[in-house]
Amino acid sequence: MALNGKTAVVTGAAMGIGKAIVEILLQNGAKVAILDMNETIGHCLVETLTKEHGPDRAMFLFCDVESEDELKAAFQKTIETFGGIDILCNNAGVFNEVTWEKTITINLMGTIKGTYLALEHMNKLTGGRGGVIINVASMAGIGPLSCCPVYTATKHGVIGFTRSFAAASVASGYGIRINALCPGFVQTDLFSAIQSKLGQFSAMAGATQELIEKLGVLTIQDFTAGLTALLLKVTCLTENHL
Ligand SMILES: NC(=O)c1ccc[n+]([C@@H]2O[C@H](COP(=O)([O-])OP(=O)(O)OC[C@H]3O[C@@H](n4cnc5c(N)ncnc54)[C@H](O)[C@@H]3O)[C@@H](O)[C@H]2O)c1
Ligand SMILES: CC/C=C\C[C@H](O)/C=C/C=C\C=C\C=C\[C@@H](O)[C@@H](O)C/C=C\CCC(=O)O
């Protein structure tokens, strides 16, 4: 399979989109470190995935992406356990216009911290073997949503950061391919909770609801099927590019 012998790290992977990405990686032969703050669900997920894919394929590691020390420890444990890191998916994210500073420290700063740690390990200029980074942004990173200025800003920031890092990687020869993933609405816990997280922008809920009805909401199964097709077509996850 395309990812046999490869090791991936996925943040915010205990549920939702991150869990879907983990399943795709496992189905294609990778070993995966599941980083999340939800220990109960995380350990339960590893138990389920081990039954499906066999031992030593999936590992849960507690990690708050706001903490550089916890990210460093999780990366180190992954390397010690699986022998290296070939793929990083910075997926962890929240939607909250009330605690908007945390939205920035998780969605944007967590993605930057993860990317810079991956650079330390993957960079071919410093002895690394190269790799692939996928940063989960959003369609809200392409065009603004009036109900969530800060969330919109974080996702615009993830896309801008990803594009800039990609240019630096190509120009410098890091051997790291980096892409931003921009899903539309997907039925997850984050999506289900948005109405209670709008804060001073709750008056914008109607406009957002109209957009939701216009664009529709993907089930996690639809999302998984679509991403599988995309990842297996896009060369960044095929063997000859890792
Ligand atoms: N659901 C959507 O409609 C949608 C659309 C586009 C993009 N996204 C993005 O996809 C990503 C995942 O969202 P989701 O919908 O699956 O959300 P979710 O709430 O269903 O899952 C998010 C996971 O991240 C974990 N997490 C939260 N904060 C964390 C932190 N500080 N450190 C480590 N883990 C943390 C949670 O415990 C949870 O397991 C986010 O970046 C989100 O912005 C979601
Ligand atoms: C409410 C946000 C819910 C989940 C966040 C998640 O990242 C999903 C985002 C999904 C779709 C975003 C679409 C953004 C579209 C913009 O490019 C723009 O076309 C929207 C135009 C009008 C929206 C109406 C409004 O905000 O007033």
Side-chain angles (χ1 to χ4, degrees), residues 95 138-140 143-147 151 184-185 190 194 207-208 211:
F95 180 100
S138 165
M139 279 182 65
L145 287 171
S146 60
C147 68
Y151 181 87
F185 299 110
L190 177 148
I194 58 176
T208 305
L211 184 67

Side-chain angles (χ1 to χ4, degrees), residues 13 47 76 92 98 128 165 182 199 211 227:
E47 197 175 316
Q76 194 52 43
V98 179
F165 187 94
C182 300
L211 184 67
L227 184 55

